């Protein structure tokens, strides 16, 4: 008989994913029309498959499901139904009253169980609650991958009984109390004989084998597309929200170095796009006219005027001091290619790399990088269009994915090549695609929006999470800009401008699955 899981015999850390990854993949699947309740059905059935595989036959076996109130509980409810259907004697012990089950799909599956005569539902603190010592199998469906920290009542009591049970102990996705990203365990965390985790193994599980036991990876119906191609899940998962105790600066600070006497719009668009990413402050280093005009458009933007009509060596001391206080830099749009500007641009890039600061390099700064022969690093994101990509490579490469891969390997920077399908790659060869956008976005300024937006996401991640993640930040920015362009096009058609796209970006960030309802 074939089962919907595989047991990991020799787990490889490079195959593991984070909780953030998993959330992005699930919501990308939802964006393609695959409902979460179907993923839950597949997950729960896989848990039932694993238990049947371990027992050989579940008929007549006593199986206790210990369930919380989130999505993890929903997987347990589905597993209970499938196990009962295969002849097992199933009890579901709820840690919370049914009315407190908060996950919509979990609630739907609990309602199904409560309508069945074949499954006993044991409510909290009622007769027989958590009496599982005579069970052949006990299942931990209490806390999922989104819960961290110490165990609290009533989950703490449920986990204690799980750990004492003599039967086979199976955890769903992650043992309760174990951090799925780091592997650290709270006091009294669940110690399972086996863990059935969904889609791909989580990084922390590989570091917590004394809690996970045998690891089985369940196939829940997610295809490679949801990992490769950016979607609404990336927006929801990759762009962090400010914590509840935020103060000014927590959301990130960006330095945009852009514009010159003859190139005005690029700097204004890049700075405003960084602000639209939701950062706290954007310092715009540009000509006095441009910097002050941008600051008039947004109170988030702080003007840092050049001493002349373009970036020069005389600006470096002040920008160097400012660089120590920011979380990311965007450099290049509209800077110009004057030799002194090129030299100053290269100096700023070198200093940023020396500090380890994430930096987005575009337009004229790409020219400067090539002129100076700079080797970059993975926290640098370069965003060439196809013409710039050909110049960087010294040859024409029509496939954006091939071009991105080659440039990333050559420059040692994360590279996003813009085109009808955007392609982003790291120097190590990991790549992702973005397919959002419309042909009308070929107007001037859309690349400047991408530059600022990428820098904004990098800064926000660096400040809040401590992990800039240049590949996912860049491809998420490309998706957001493209999706905003699609929506704006519905209103403006071929008259679309970059400023129209800028206005829609907040709607995509607010509700990635259905931004149109906020327009």
């Amino acid at each position: 008989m074939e089962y919907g899981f595989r047991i990991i015999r020799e787990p490889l850390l490079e195959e593991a994913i984070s909780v953030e990854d998993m959330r992005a993949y699930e919501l990308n699947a939802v964006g393609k029309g695959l409902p979460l309740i179907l993923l839950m059905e597949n997950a729960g059935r896989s848990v039932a498959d694993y238990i049947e595989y371990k027992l050989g036959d579940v008929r007549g076996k006593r199986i206790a499901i210990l369930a919380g109130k989130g999505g993890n509980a929903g997987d347990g409810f589905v597993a209970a139904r499938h196990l009962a259907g295969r002849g097992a004697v199933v009890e579901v012990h709820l840690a919370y009253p049914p009315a407190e089950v908060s996950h919509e799909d979990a609630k739907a599956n609990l309602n199904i169980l409560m309508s069945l005569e074949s499954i006993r539902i044991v409510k909290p603190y009622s007769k027989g609650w958590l009496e599982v010592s005579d069970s052949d199998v006990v299942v931990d469906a209490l806390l999922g991958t989104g819960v961290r920290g110490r165990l609290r009542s009533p989950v703490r009591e449920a986990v204690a009984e799980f750990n004492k049970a003599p039967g086979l102990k199976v955890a769903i996705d992650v043992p309760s109390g174990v951090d799925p990203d780091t592997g650290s365990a709270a006091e009294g965390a669940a110690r399972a004989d086996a863990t059935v985790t969904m889609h791909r193994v989580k990084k922390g599980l590989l570091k917590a084998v004394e809690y996970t036991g045998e690891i089985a990876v369940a196939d829940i119906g997610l295809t490679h597309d949801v990992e490769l191609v950016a979607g609404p899940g990336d927006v929801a998962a990759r762009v962090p929200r400010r914590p509840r105790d935020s103060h000014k600066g927590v959301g990130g600070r960006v330095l945009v170095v852009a514009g010159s006497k003859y190139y005005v719009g690029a700097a204004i668009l890049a700075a405003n796009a960084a602000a639209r990413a939701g950062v706290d402050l954007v310092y715009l280093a540009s000509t006095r006219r441009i910097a002050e005009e941008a600051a008039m458009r947004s109170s988030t933007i702080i003007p840092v005027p050049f001493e002349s009509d373009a970036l020069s060596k005389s600006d470096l001391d002040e920008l160097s001091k400012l660089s120590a206080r920011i979380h990311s830099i965007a450099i290049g749009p509209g800077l110009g290619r004057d030799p002194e500007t090129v030299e100053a641009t290269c100096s700023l890039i070198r200093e940023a790399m020396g500090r380890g600061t994430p930096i987005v390099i575009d337009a004229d700064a790409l020219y400067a990088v090539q002129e100076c022969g700079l080797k970059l690093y993975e926290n640098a994101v370069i965003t060439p269009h196809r013409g710039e990509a050909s110049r960087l490579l010294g040859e024409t490469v029509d496939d954006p994915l091939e071009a991105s891969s080659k440039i990333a390997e050559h420059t040692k920077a994360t590279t996003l090549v813009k085109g009808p399908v955007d392609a982003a790659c790291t120097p190590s060869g990991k790549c992702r695609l973005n397919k959002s956008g419309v042909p009308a976005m070929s107007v001037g300024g859309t690349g400047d929006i991408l530059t600022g937006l990428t820098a904004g996401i990098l800064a926000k991640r660096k400040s809040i999470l401590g992990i800039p993640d240049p590949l996912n930040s860049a491809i998420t920015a490309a998706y957001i800009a493209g999706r905003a362009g699609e929506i704006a096009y519905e209103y403006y058609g071929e008259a679309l401008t970059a400023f129209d796209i800028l206005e829609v970006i907040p709607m995509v960030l607010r509700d990635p699955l259905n931004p149109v309802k906020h327009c």
Side-chain angles (χ1 to χ4, degrees), residues 257-264 266-268 284-287 290 306 309-311 332-336 341:
V257 185
S260 57
K261 180 179 180 180
Y262 299 106
Y263 302 103
V264 176
I268 293 174
L284 175 56
S286 190
T287 68
I290 294 172
F306 295 154
D309 289 335
L311 176 67
L335 270 182
T341 297

mmCIF file with all atom_site columns, all heavy atoms in Angstrom, residues 257-264 266-268 284-287 290 306 309-311 332-336 341:
data_model
loop_
_atom_site.group_PDB
_atom_site.id
_atom_site.type_symbol
_atom_site.label_atom_id
_atom_site.label_alt_id
_atom_site.label_comp_id
_atom_site.label_asym_id
_atom_site.label_entity_id
_atom_site.label_seq_id
_atom_site.pdbx_PDB_ins_code
_atom_site.Cartn_x
_atom_site.Cartn_y
_atom_site.Cartn_z
_atom_site.occupancy
_atom_site.B_iso_or_equiv
_atom_site.pdbx_formal_charge
_atom_site.auth_seq_id
_atom_site.auth_comp_id
_atom_site.auth_asym_id
_atom_site.auth_atom_id
_atom_site.pdbx_PDB_model_num
ATOM 1   N N   . VAL A 1 257 ? 20.295 56.681 -2.197  1.00 0.00 ? 257 VAL A N   1
ATOM 2   C CA  . VAL A 1 257 ? 21.254 57.583 -2.831  1.00 0.00 ? 257 VAL A CA  1
ATOM 3   C C   . VAL A 1 257 ? 20.923 57.588 -4.321  1.00 0.00 ? 257 VAL A C   1
ATOM 4   O O   . VAL A 1 257 ? 21.189 56.604 -5.031  1.00 0.00 ? 257 VAL A O   1
ATOM 5   C CB  . VAL A 1 257 ? 22.705 57.137 -2.585  1.00 0.00 ? 257 VAL A CB  1
ATOM 6   C CG1 . VAL A 1 257 ? 23.683 58.161 -3.154  1.00 0.00 ? 257 VAL A CG1 1
ATOM 7   C CG2 . VAL A 1 257 ? 22.962 56.915 -1.096  1.00 0.00 ? 257 VAL A CG2 1
ATOM 8   N N   . ALA A 1 258 ? 20.324 58.663 -4.795  1.00 0.00 ? 258 ALA A N   1
ATOM 9   C CA  . ALA A 1 258 ? 19.788 58.648 -6.159  1.00 0.00 ? 258 ALA A CA  1
ATOM 10  C C   . ALA A 1 258 ? 19.573 60.066 -6.661  1.00 0.00 ? 258 ALA A C   1
ATOM 11  O O   . ALA A 1 258 ? 19.517 61.025 -5.884  1.00 0.00 ? 258 ALA A O   1
ATOM 12  C CB  . ALA A 1 258 ? 18.462 57.879 -6.182  1.00 0.00 ? 258 ALA A CB  1
ATOM 13  N N   . GLY A 1 259 ? 19.440 60.193 -7.970  1.00 0.00 ? 259 GLY A N   1
ATOM 14  C CA  . GLY A 1 259 ? 19.104 61.471 -8.582  1.00 0.00 ? 259 GLY A CA  1
ATOM 15  C C   . GLY A 1 259 ? 20.300 62.370 -8.824  1.00 0.00 ? 259 GLY A C   1
ATOM 16  O O   . GLY A 1 259 ? 21.366 62.215 -8.229  1.00 0.00 ? 259 GLY A O   1
ATOM 17  N N   . SER A 1 260 ? 20.107 63.299 -9.724  1.00 0.00 ? 260 SER A N   1
ATOM 18  C CA  . SER A 1 260 ? 21.115 64.296 -10.069 1.00 0.00 ? 260 SER A CA  1
ATOM 19  C C   . SER A 1 260 ? 20.387 65.451 -10.757 1.00 0.00 ? 260 SER A C   1
ATOM 20  O O   . SER A 1 260 ? 19.154 65.430 -10.878 1.00 0.00 ? 260 SER A O   1
ATOM 21  C CB  . SER A 1 260 ? 22.189 63.699 -10.977 1.00 0.00 ? 260 SER A CB  1
ATOM 22  O OG  . SER A 1 260 ? 21.605 63.153 -12.147 1.00 0.00 ? 260 SER A OG  1
ATOM 23  N N   . LYS A 1 261 ? 21.123 66.415 -11.221 1.00 0.00 ? 261 LYS A N   1
ATOM 24  C CA  . LYS A 1 261 ? 20.515 67.614 -11.797 1.00 0.00 ? 261 LYS A CA  1
ATOM 25  C C   . LYS A 1 261 ? 19.525 67.293 -12.903 1.00 0.00 ? 261 LYS A C   1
ATOM 26  O O   . LYS A 1 261 ? 18.468 67.928 -13.007 1.00 0.00 ? 261 LYS A O   1
ATOM 27  C CB  . LYS A 1 261 ? 21.619 68.535 -12.318 1.00 0.00 ? 261 LYS A CB  1
ATOM 28  C CG  . LYS A 1 261 ? 21.123 69.826 -12.941 1.00 0.00 ? 261 LYS A CG  1
ATOM 29  C CD  . LYS A 1 261 ? 22.287 70.686 -13.410 1.00 0.00 ? 261 LYS A CD  1
ATOM 30  C CE  . LYS A 1 261 ? 21.804 71.978 -14.028 1.00 0.00 ? 261 LYS A CE  1
ATOM 31  N NZ  . LYS A 1 261 ? 22.922 72.832 -14.485 1.00 0.00 ? 261 LYS A NZ  1
ATOM 32  N N   . TYR A 1 262 ? 19.860 66.320 -13.742 1.00 0.00 ? 262 TYR A N   1
ATOM 33  C CA  . TYR A 1 262 ? 19.028 66.053 -14.918 1.00 0.00 ? 262 TYR A CA  1
ATOM 34  C C   . TYR A 1 262 ? 18.064 64.880 -14.731 1.00 0.00 ? 262 TYR A C   1
ATOM 35  O O   . TYR A 1 262 ? 17.263 64.598 -15.622 1.00 0.00 ? 262 TYR A O   1
ATOM 36  C CB  . TYR A 1 262 ? 19.927 65.785 -16.136 1.00 0.00 ? 262 TYR A CB  1
ATOM 37  C CG  . TYR A 1 262 ? 20.820 66.959 -16.481 1.00 0.00 ? 262 TYR A CG  1
ATOM 38  C CD1 . TYR A 1 262 ? 22.174 66.922 -16.207 1.00 0.00 ? 262 TYR A CD1 1
ATOM 39  C CD2 . TYR A 1 262 ? 20.278 68.119 -17.044 1.00 0.00 ? 262 TYR A CD2 1
ATOM 40  C CE1 . TYR A 1 262 ? 22.998 68.003 -16.510 1.00 0.00 ? 262 TYR A CE1 1
ATOM 41  C CE2 . TYR A 1 262 ? 21.089 69.202 -17.343 1.00 0.00 ? 262 TYR A CE2 1
ATOM 42  C CZ  . TYR A 1 262 ? 22.443 69.140 -17.077 1.00 0.00 ? 262 TYR A CZ  1
ATOM 43  O OH  . TYR A 1 262 ? 23.246 70.213 -17.366 1.00 0.00 ? 262 TYR A OH  1
ATOM 44  N N   . TYR A 1 263 ? 18.140 64.165 -13.604 1.00 0.00 ? 263 TYR A N   1
ATOM 45  C CA  . TYR A 1 263 ? 17.303 62.985 -13.400 1.00 0.00 ? 263 TYR A CA  1
ATOM 46  C C   . TYR A 1 263 ? 16.589 63.123 -12.055 1.00 0.00 ? 263 TYR A C   1
ATOM 47  O O   . TYR A 1 263 ? 17.162 62.867 -10.997 1.00 0.00 ? 263 TYR A O   1
ATOM 48  C CB  . TYR A 1 263 ? 18.142 61.709 -13.425 1.00 0.00 ? 263 TYR A CB  1
ATOM 49  C CG  . TYR A 1 263 ? 18.916 61.539 -14.715 1.00 0.00 ? 263 TYR A CG  1
ATOM 50  C CD1 . TYR A 1 263 ? 20.276 61.809 -14.769 1.00 0.00 ? 263 TYR A CD1 1
ATOM 51  C CD2 . TYR A 1 263 ? 18.271 61.120 -15.878 1.00 0.00 ? 263 TYR A CD2 1
ATOM 52  C CE1 . TYR A 1 263 ? 20.980 61.669 -15.954 1.00 0.00 ? 263 TYR A CE1 1
ATOM 53  C CE2 . TYR A 1 263 ? 18.969 60.983 -17.065 1.00 0.00 ? 263 TYR A CE2 1
ATOM 54  C CZ  . TYR A 1 263 ? 20.326 61.257 -17.098 1.00 0.00 ? 263 TYR A CZ  1
ATOM 55  O OH  . TYR A 1 263 ? 21.016 61.123 -18.274 1.00 0.00 ? 263 TYR A OH  1
ATOM 56  N N   . VAL A 1 264 ? 15.330 63.541 -12.122 1.00 0.00 ? 264 VAL A N   1
ATOM 57  C CA  . VAL A 1 264 ? 14.582 63.925 -10.919 1.00 0.00 ? 264 VAL A CA  1
ATOM 58  C C   . VAL A 1 264 ? 13.652 62.806 -10.441 1.00 0.00 ? 264 VAL A C   1
ATOM 59  O O   . VAL A 1 264 ? 13.650 62.428 -9.270  1.00 0.00 ? 264 VAL A O   1
ATOM 60  C CB  . VAL A 1 264 ? 13.761 65.203 -11.190 1.00 0.00 ? 264 VAL A CB  1
ATOM 61  C CG1 . VAL A 1 264 ? 12.904 65.557 -9.989  1.00 0.00 ? 264 VAL A CG1 1
ATOM 62  C CG2 . VAL A 1 264 ? 14.686 66.353 -11.567 1.00 0.00 ? 264 VAL A CG2 1
ATOM 63  N N   . ALA A 1 266 ? 13.428 59.530 -10.798 1.00 0.00 ? 266 ALA A N   1
ATOM 64  C CA  . ALA A 1 266 ? 13.901 58.224 -10.329 1.00 0.00 ? 266 ALA A CA  1
ATOM 65  C C   . ALA A 1 266 ? 14.111 58.220 -8.821  1.00 0.00 ? 266 ALA A C   1
ATOM 66  O O   . ALA A 1 266 ? 13.717 57.288 -8.116  1.00 0.00 ? 266 ALA A O   1
ATOM 67  C CB  . ALA A 1 266 ? 15.201 57.855 -11.043 1.00 0.00 ? 266 ALA A CB  1
ATOM 68  N N   . ALA A 1 267 ? 14.752 59.265 -8.298  1.00 0.00 ? 267 ALA A N   1
ATOM 69  C CA  . ALA A 1 267 ? 15.033 59.332 -6.865  1.00 0.00 ? 267 ALA A CA  1
ATOM 70  C C   . ALA A 1 267 ? 13.749 59.444 -6.058  1.00 0.00 ? 267 ALA A C   1
ATOM 71  O O   . ALA A 1 267 ? 13.600 58.814 -4.998  1.00 0.00 ? 267 ALA A O   1
ATOM 72  C CB  . ALA A 1 267 ? 15.942 60.521 -6.576  1.00 0.00 ? 267 ALA A CB  1
ATOM 73  N N   . ILE A 1 268 ? 12.807 60.242 -6.539  1.00 0.00 ? 268 ILE A N   1
ATOM 74  C CA  . ILE A 1 268 ? 11.540 60.423 -5.822  1.00 0.00 ? 268 ILE A CA  1
ATOM 75  C C   . ILE A 1 268 ? 10.761 59.117 -5.780  1.00 0.00 ? 268 ILE A C   1
ATOM 76  O O   . ILE A 1 268 ? 10.207 58.735 -4.737  1.00 0.00 ? 268 ILE A O   1
ATOM 77  C CB  . ILE A 1 268 ? 10.717 61.547 -6.478  1.00 0.00 ? 268 ILE A CB  1
ATOM 78  C CG1 . ILE A 1 268 ? 11.428 62.890 -6.283  1.00 0.00 ? 268 ILE A CG1 1
ATOM 79  C CG2 . ILE A 1 268 ? 9.307  61.601 -5.912  1.00 0.00 ? 268 ILE A CG2 1
ATOM 80  C CD1 . ILE A 1 268 ? 10.791 64.056 -7.015  1.00 0.00 ? 268 ILE A CD1 1
ATOM 81  N N   . LEU A 1 284 ? 16.833 60.394 1.992   1.00 0.00 ? 284 LEU A N   1
ATOM 82  C CA  . LEU A 1 284 ? 17.083 60.536 0.562   1.00 0.00 ? 284 LEU A CA  1
ATOM 83  C C   . LEU A 1 284 ? 18.257 61.477 0.333   1.00 0.00 ? 284 LEU A C   1
ATOM 84  O O   . LEU A 1 284 ? 18.169 62.692 0.549   1.00 0.00 ? 284 LEU A O   1
ATOM 85  C CB  . LEU A 1 284 ? 15.846 61.067 -0.168  1.00 0.00 ? 284 LEU A CB  1
ATOM 86  C CG  . LEU A 1 284 ? 16.054 61.354 -1.660  1.00 0.00 ? 284 LEU A CG  1
ATOM 87  C CD1 . LEU A 1 284 ? 16.567 60.117 -2.401  1.00 0.00 ? 284 LEU A CD1 1
ATOM 88  C CD2 . LEU A 1 284 ? 14.763 61.864 -2.299  1.00 0.00 ? 284 LEU A CD2 1
ATOM 89  N N   . ALA A 1 285 ? 19.368 60.897 -0.078  1.00 0.00 ? 285 ALA A N   1
ATOM 90  C CA  . ALA A 1 285 ? 20.546 61.673 -0.454  1.00 0.00 ? 285 ALA A CA  1
ATOM 91  C C   . ALA A 1 285 ? 20.448 61.975 -1.945  1.00 0.00 ? 285 ALA A C   1
ATOM 92  O O   . ALA A 1 285 ? 20.536 61.069 -2.780  1.00 0.00 ? 285 ALA A O   1
ATOM 93  C CB  . ALA A 1 285 ? 21.813 60.899 -0.139  1.00 0.00 ? 285 ALA A CB  1
ATOM 94  N N   . SER A 1 286 ? 20.256 63.244 -2.258  1.00 0.00 ? 286 SER A N   1
ATOM 95  C CA  . SER A 1 286 ? 20.067 63.643 -3.652  1.00 0.00 ? 286 SER A CA  1
ATOM 96  C C   . SER A 1 286 ? 20.343 65.147 -3.743  1.00 0.00 ? 286 SER A C   1
ATOM 97  O O   . SER A 1 286 ? 20.800 65.772 -2.788  1.00 0.00 ? 286 SER A O   1
ATOM 98  C CB  . SER A 1 286 ? 18.643 63.313 -4.105  1.00 0.00 ? 286 SER A CB  1
ATOM 99  O OG  . SER A 1 286 ? 18.512 63.484 -5.493  1.00 0.00 ? 286 SER A OG  1
ATOM 100 N N   . THR A 1 287 ? 20.071 65.723 -4.906  1.00 0.00 ? 287 THR A N   1
ATOM 101 C CA  . THR A 1 287 ? 20.205 67.173 -5.021  1.00 0.00 ? 287 THR A CA  1
ATOM 102 C C   . THR A 1 287 ? 19.202 67.826 -4.069  1.00 0.00 ? 287 THR A C   1
ATOM 103 O O   . THR A 1 287 ? 18.199 67.216 -3.686  1.00 0.00 ? 287 THR A O   1
ATOM 104 C CB  . THR A 1 287 ? 19.932 67.651 -6.455  1.00 0.00 ? 287 THR A CB  1
ATOM 105 O OG1 . THR A 1 287 ? 18.548 67.456 -6.755  1.00 0.00 ? 287 THR A OG1 1
ATOM 106 C CG2 . THR A 1 287 ? 20.783 66.901 -7.463  1.00 0.00 ? 287 THR A CG2 1
ATOM 107 N N   . ILE A 1 290 ? 15.584 67.823 -5.390  1.00 0.00 ? 290 ILE A N   1
ATOM 108 C CA  . ILE A 1 290 ? 14.914 66.509 -5.399  1.00 0.00 ? 290 ILE A CA  1
ATOM 109 C C   . ILE A 1 290 ? 14.600 66.055 -3.975  1.00 0.00 ? 290 ILE A C   1
ATOM 110 O O   . ILE A 1 290 ? 13.481 65.607 -3.683  1.00 0.00 ? 290 ILE A O   1
ATOM 111 C CB  . ILE A 1 290 ? 15.795 65.464 -6.105  1.00 0.00 ? 290 ILE A CB  1
ATOM 112 C CG1 . ILE A 1 290 ? 15.935 65.797 -7.595  1.00 0.00 ? 290 ILE A CG1 1
ATOM 113 C CG2 . ILE A 1 290 ? 15.216 64.067 -5.923  1.00 0.00 ? 290 ILE A CG2 1
ATOM 114 C CD1 . ILE A 1 290 ? 16.950 64.929 -8.324  1.00 0.00 ? 290 ILE A CD1 1
ATOM 115 N N   . PHE A 1 306 ? 22.831 66.715 -1.498  1.00 0.00 ? 306 PHE A N   1
ATOM 116 C CA  . PHE A 1 306 ? 24.221 66.727 -1.970  1.00 0.00 ? 306 PHE A CA  1
ATOM 117 C C   . PHE A 1 306 ? 24.766 68.152 -1.852  1.00 0.00 ? 306 PHE A C   1
ATOM 118 O O   . PHE A 1 306 ? 24.011 69.125 -1.816  1.00 0.00 ? 306 PHE A O   1
ATOM 119 C CB  . PHE A 1 306 ? 24.303 66.316 -3.450  1.00 0.00 ? 306 PHE A CB  1
ATOM 120 C CG  . PHE A 1 306 ? 23.896 64.897 -3.745  1.00 0.00 ? 306 PHE A CG  1
ATOM 121 C CD1 . PHE A 1 306 ? 23.401 64.561 -5.009  1.00 0.00 ? 306 PHE A CD1 1
ATOM 122 C CD2 . PHE A 1 306 ? 24.014 63.897 -2.799  1.00 0.00 ? 306 PHE A CD2 1
ATOM 123 C CE1 . PHE A 1 306 ? 23.041 63.267 -5.314  1.00 0.00 ? 306 PHE A CE1 1
ATOM 124 C CE2 . PHE A 1 306 ? 23.650 62.592 -3.090  1.00 0.00 ? 306 PHE A CE2 1
ATOM 125 C CZ  . PHE A 1 306 ? 23.160 62.269 -4.357  1.00 0.00 ? 306 PHE A CZ  1
ATOM 126 N N   . ASP A 1 309 ? 25.286 69.373 -7.668  1.00 0.00 ? 309 ASP A N   1
ATOM 127 C CA  . ASP A 1 309 ? 24.180 68.860 -8.483  1.00 0.00 ? 309 ASP A CA  1
ATOM 128 C C   . ASP A 1 309 ? 24.243 67.357 -8.710  1.00 0.00 ? 309 ASP A C   1
ATOM 129 O O   . ASP A 1 309 ? 23.440 66.814 -9.467  1.00 0.00 ? 309 ASP A O   1
ATOM 130 C CB  . ASP A 1 309 ? 24.168 69.566 -9.842  1.00 0.00 ? 309 ASP A CB  1
ATOM 131 C CG  . ASP A 1 309 ? 23.734 71.024 -9.715  1.00 0.00 ? 309 ASP A CG  1
ATOM 132 O OD1 . ASP A 1 309 ? 23.018 71.339 -8.733  1.00 0.00 ? 309 ASP A OD1 1
ATOM 133 O OD2 . ASP A 1 309 ? 24.114 71.827 -10.574 1.00 0.00 ? 309 ASP A OD2 1
ATOM 134 N N   . ALA A 1 310 ? 25.204 66.676 -8.109  1.00 0.00 ? 310 ALA A N   1
ATOM 135 C CA  . ALA A 1 310 ? 25.323 65.224 -8.250  1.00 0.00 ? 310 ALA A CA  1
ATOM 136 C C   . ALA A 1 310 ? 26.151 64.688 -7.086  1.00 0.00 ? 310 ALA A C   1
ATOM 137 O O   . ALA A 1 310 ? 26.852 65.446 -6.397  1.00 0.00 ? 310 ALA A O   1
ATOM 138 C CB  . ALA A 1 310 ? 25.976 64.851 -9.588  1.00 0.00 ? 310 ALA A CB  1
ATOM 139 N N   . LEU A 1 311 ? 26.073 63.392 -6.858  1.00 0.00 ? 311 LEU A N   1
ATOM 140 C CA  . LEU A 1 311 ? 26.891 62.753 -5.832  1.00 0.00 ? 311 LEU A CA  1
ATOM 141 C C   . LEU A 1 311 ? 28.370 62.965 -6.139  1.00 0.00 ? 311 LEU A C   1
ATOM 142 O O   . LEU A 1 311 ? 28.817 62.785 -7.273  1.00 0.00 ? 311 LEU A O   1
ATOM 143 C CB  . LEU A 1 311 ? 26.580 61.257 -5.780  1.00 0.00 ? 311 LEU A CB  1
ATOM 144 C CG  . LEU A 1 311 ? 27.420 60.415 -4.814  1.00 0.00 ? 311 LEU A CG  1
ATOM 145 C CD1 . LEU A 1 311 ? 27.122 60.791 -3.364  1.00 0.00 ? 311 LEU A CD1 1
ATOM 146 C CD2 . LEU A 1 311 ? 27.169 58.928 -5.050  1.00 0.00 ? 311 LEU A CD2 1
ATOM 147 N N   . GLY A 1 332 ? 21.692 54.270 -6.984  1.00 0.00 ? 332 GLY A N   1
ATOM 148 C CA  . GLY A 1 332 ? 21.839 54.183 -8.435  1.00 0.00 ? 332 GLY A CA  1
ATOM 149 C C   . GLY A 1 332 ? 20.845 54.919 -9.290  1.00 0.00 ? 332 GLY A C   1
ATOM 150 O O   . GLY A 1 332 ? 21.248 55.552 -10.282 1.00 0.00 ? 332 GLY A O   1
ATOM 151 N N   . PRO A 1 333 ? 19.530 54.883 -8.995  1.00 0.00 ? 333 PRO A N   1
ATOM 152 C CA  . PRO A 1 333 ? 18.580 55.501 -9.933  1.00 0.00 ? 333 PRO A CA  1
ATOM 153 C C   . PRO A 1 333 ? 18.859 56.984 -10.172 1.00 0.00 ? 333 PRO A C   1
ATOM 154 O O   . PRO A 1 333 ? 18.891 57.783 -9.231  1.00 0.00 ? 333 PRO A O   1
ATOM 155 C CB  . PRO A 1 333 ? 17.222 55.297 -9.231  1.00 0.00 ? 333 PRO A CB  1
ATOM 156 C CG  . PRO A 1 333 ? 17.417 54.068 -8.402  1.00 0.00 ? 333 PRO A CG  1
ATOM 157 C CD  . PRO A 1 333 ? 18.843 54.161 -7.923  1.00 0.00 ? 333 PRO A CD  1
ATOM 158 N N   . GLY A 1 334 ? 19.116 57.330 -11.420 1.00 0.00 ? 334 GLY A N   1
ATOM 159 C CA  . GLY A 1 334 ? 19.288 58.727 -11.791 1.00 0.00 ? 334 GLY A CA  1
ATOM 160 C C   . GLY A 1 334 ? 20.555 59.382 -11.295 1.00 0.00 ? 334 GLY A C   1
ATOM 161 O O   . GLY A 1 334 ? 20.689 60.613 -11.374 1.00 0.00 ? 334 GLY A O   1
ATOM 162 N N   . LEU A 1 335 ? 21.551 58.634 -10.809 1.00 0.00 ? 335 LEU A N   1
ATOM 163 C CA  . LEU A 1 335 ? 22.769 59.242 -10.255 1.00 0.00 ? 335 LEU A CA  1
ATOM 164 C C   . LEU A 1 335 ? 23.642 59.896 -11.312 1.00 0.00 ? 335 LEU A C   1
ATOM 165 O O   . LEU A 1 335 ? 24.361 60.852 -11.033 1.00 0.00 ? 335 LEU A O   1
ATOM 166 C CB  . LEU A 1 335 ? 23.609 58.181 -9.523  1.00 0.00 ? 335 LEU A CB  1
ATOM 167 C CG  . LEU A 1 335 ? 23.335 57.956 -8.041  1.00 0.00 ? 335 LEU A CG  1
ATOM 168 C CD1 . LEU A 1 335 ? 24.297 56.917 -7.493  1.00 0.00 ? 335 LEU A CD1 1
ATOM 169 C CD2 . LEU A 1 335 ? 23.450 59.248 -7.241  1.00 0.00 ? 335 LEU A CD2 1
ATOM 170 N N   . GLY A 1 336 ? 23.595 59.372 -12.532 1.00 0.00 ? 336 GLY A N   1
ATOM 171 C CA  . GLY A 1 336 ? 24.488 59.855 -13.566 1.00 0.00 ? 336 GLY A CA  1
ATOM 172 C C   . GLY A 1 336 ? 25.811 59.094 -13.564 1.00 0.00 ? 336 GLY A C   1
ATOM 173 O O   . GLY A 1 336 ? 26.094 58.301 -12.656 1.00 0.00 ? 336 GLY A O   1
ATOM 174 N N   . THR A 1 341 ? 31.197 60.946 -9.687  1.00 0.00 ? 341 THR A N   1
ATOM 175 C CA  . THR A 1 341 ? 30.019 60.260 -9.146  1.00 0.00 ? 341 THR A CA  1
ATOM 176 C C   . THR A 1 341 ? 30.253 58.755 -9.116  1.00 0.00 ? 341 THR A C   1
ATOM 177 O O   . THR A 1 341 ? 29.902 58.069 -8.149  1.00 0.00 ? 341 THR A O   1
ATOM 178 C CB  . THR A 1 341 ? 28.775 60.584 -9.991  1.00 0.00 ? 341 THR A CB  1
ATOM 179 O OG1 . THR A 1 341 ? 28.504 61.986 -9.902  1.00 0.00 ? 341 THR A OG1 1
ATOM 180 C CG2 . THR A 1 341 ? 27.562 59.807 -9.509  1.00 0.00 ? 341 THR A CG2 1
#
